[in-house]
Amino acid sequence: MARSLLISRIGELVTNAPAGGGVPAFDFAGSAGFAAIPDAALVIEGERVAWTGPASQAPPADEFLDAAGRAVLPGFVDSHAHLVFAGERSAEFAARMAGRAYRAGGIRATVAATRAATDAELRAGLHRLAGELLRQGTTTFECKSGYGLTVADETRCVALAAELTDEVTYLGAHVVPAEFAADPDGYVDLVSGPMLDACAPWCRWADVFCEDGAFGADAARTVLTAALARGLFPRVHANQLGPGPGVRLAVELGAASADHCTFLTDADVAALASSGTVATLLPGAEFSTRQPYPDARRLLDAGATVALATDCNPGTSYTTSMPFCIALAVRDMRMTTEEAVWSATAGGARALRRTDVGYLAPGARADLVILDAPSHVHLAYRPGVPLVHAVYQSGRRLPPTSDITGGGVPGPGRCE
Ligand code: NIG
Ligand code: FE
């Protein structure tokens, strides 16, 4: 029998689950809702959550951790990140801050650096960023290719990503690389044919940057339909730099997520609200490009499901910090603190069609964050402050520390 750990004296336990410890509905439409228990406890058994409820009713366990009034949240679920690349583009960022506009073409600089890098260099960069994610409370992350753009380079990017996550996304259709500038249709043939065949074994998802300067609706549909035929599920970079067909295409194809959603028509909002496609908002990109933030309130009020993700990439959003994205969403996107935390946990899980993460109730994966703060509100109230005290992934604490006591297990009321 797996050993059990009781974490008690939790100031606020964010569960995202119905009262009484039930499992949330997973219909993948609508925002199921933030939920929290004050003065709470939680029991982990092996890799799973075994019990949640008021601290006064906690059952005994093999080991005990005193949370000393701290808040405990589900581990963040980052459903949109580009982590396999070489080099960086701080000069481009500085130029933008000096007034230059963002254009999709900057991606090609990272493509050149990525092609020139060794596998070991790419792996080292990926591990560095994955470590940053984990230290900031992200226990599940998606990772896209998209900076290789040859069969060999895209294949090694997805293979490297698959070393660290099950949520690997094929993004051969990120931009048309320079060598295909005169033959964009030829590149679409490559991406929806031999490149897809080579990458598919490592991937769960396929994505297309559907935008002026990248791929139009017809090319995006061709790539995503081919990917669906090979068992990959679609997601779309949509409506980031201006209005366009990306959101409508995502809904048409039953995509798990339409990402960015910065420039939406009323019809786009209505389509998202009446579909199972999650609107994934990436405020790090607007922060770094000085674009207007997406209107989360409009989407939420219409009934769409909203996720928050980092979009970590060297061009438009070089952050791995979900707390930073939560703070931006609360301050600048008209989300409540509860909505932002739900979107960064359960919302991300829905964007990845996952039913085992993003909430804390019996049966959930024991992925959780302990904050050096009494409530989730502090994530937005104390922006830029490293509030993550401890992170558990599949029931294991990262990094290991010494404040767990074995034996002398407290029963109900022991830690009042
Ligand atoms: O999500 N939009 C397309 N891809 C990235 C930007 C990539 C880059 O500029 O390197 C994004 O913002
Ligand atoms: Fe992106």
Side-chain angles (χ1 to χ4, degrees):
M1 173 110 173
R3 283 185 74 73
S4 56
L5 168 67
L6 167 62
I7 305 177
S8 196
R9 288 221 305 154
I10 297 171
E12 178 192 53
L13 176 64
V14 176
T15 62
N16 292 335
V23 174
F26 288 108
D27 60 358
F28 300 110
S31 296
F34 175 96
I37 307 171
D39 304 320
L42 170 145
V43 176
I44 296 172
E45 232 170 63
E47 298 185 354
R48 300 272 157 184
V49 175
W51 185 90
T52 58
S56 59
Q57 296 169 24
D62 300 318
E63 296 179 334
F64 174 65
L65 176 69
D66 180 358
R70 295 183 177 92
V72 173
L73 282 69
F76 301 124
V77 180
D78 190 345
S79 60
H80 184 138
H82 310 244
L83 306 176
V84 190
F85 61 85
E88 52 96 352
R89 284 158 44 203
S90 54
E92 184 186 308
F93 173 78
R96 267 203 311 276
M97 294 305 106
R100 220 177 66 193
Y102 174 72
R103 295 202 204 306
I107 294 169
R108 294 200 183 95
T110 301
V111 170
T114 303
R115 289 177 177 176
T118 64
D119 287 359
E121 287 164 345
L122 293 178
R123 184 181 285 112
L126 171 62
H127 279 252
R128 178 178 61 82
L129 294 172
E132 284 183 21
L133 283 163
L134 206 50
R135 282 195 298 282
Q136 293 170 99
T138 295
T139 47
T140 302
F141 67 87
E142 182 256 20
C143 182
K144 302 175 195 298
S145 66
Y147 290 116
L149 310 188
T150 65
V151 174
D153 286 304
E154 283 296 296
T155 307
R156 67 187 183 127
C157 290
V158 293
L160 285 166
E163 292 177 3
L164 291 190
T165 181
D166 295 334
E167 307 295 346
V168 179
T169 300
Y170 169 58
L171 182 57
H174 200 182
V175 285
V176 175
E179 66 274 18
F180 276 91
D183 182 19
D185 292 347
Y187 188 66
V188 172
D189 291 343
L190 179 68
V191 170
S192 51
M195 190 187 283
L196 171 62
D197 288 337
C199 291
W202 282 278
C203 299
R204 181 169 181 225
W205 305 101
D207 193 346
V208 174
F209 186 14
C210 184
E211 197 82 39
D212 281 351
F215 297 88
D218 290 344
R221 187 183 290 103
T222 299
V223 172
L224 293 174
T225 306
L228 263 168
R230 283 166 181 75
L232 306 192
F233 300 108
R235 38 203 326 111
V236 182
H237 275 75
N239 304 55
Q240 175 185 5
L241 304 177
V247 163
R248 287 193 301 282
L249 181 69
V251 172
E252 171 196 319
L253 295 177
S257 179
D259 297 53
H260 285 284
C261 295
T262 310
F263 293 93
L264 299 183
T265 63
D266 288 345
D268 293 329
V269 173
L272 286 165
S274 60
S275 75
T277 300
V278 172
T280 299
L281 308 184
L282 309 164
E286 279 74 33
F287 177 89
S288 274
T289 56
R290 281 236 173 92
Q291 281 205 153
Y293 288 97
D295 190 344
R297 187 79 268 135
R298 183 176 172 215
L299 285 159
L300 289 164
D301 289 349
T305 301
V306 172
L308 283 174
T310 63
D311 194 17
C312 178
N313 76 79
T316 59
S317 184
Y318 202 4
T319 181
T320 44
S321 174
M322 194 67 94
F324 173 63
C325 295
I326 289 170
L328 291 180
V330 169
R331 169 62 178 78
D332 288 324
M333 288 159 55
R334 299 199 291 152
M335 295 182 86
T336 66
T337 59
E338 290 88 351
E339 287 165 343
V341 164
W342 187 90
S343 293
T345 52
R350 275 164 177 65
L352 293 173
R353 304 241 157 127
R354 292 279 295 260
T355 57
D356 57 337
V357 296
Y359 71 105
L360 294 171
R365 209 169 81 171
D367 288 358
L368 52 95
V369 186
I370 304 179
L371 296 183
D372 258 328
S375 83
H376 74 280
V377 177
H378 286 236
L379 289 167
Y381 172 50
R382 306 202 64 213
V385 179
L387 292 179
V388 173
H389 173 76
V391 179
Y392 284 77
Q393 192 179 42
S394 295
R396 292 213 338 248
R397 183 162 177 168
L398 307 161
T401 77
S402 55
D403 54 342
I404 297 176
T405 58
V409 177
R414 150 92 186 258
C415 51
E416 293 308 301

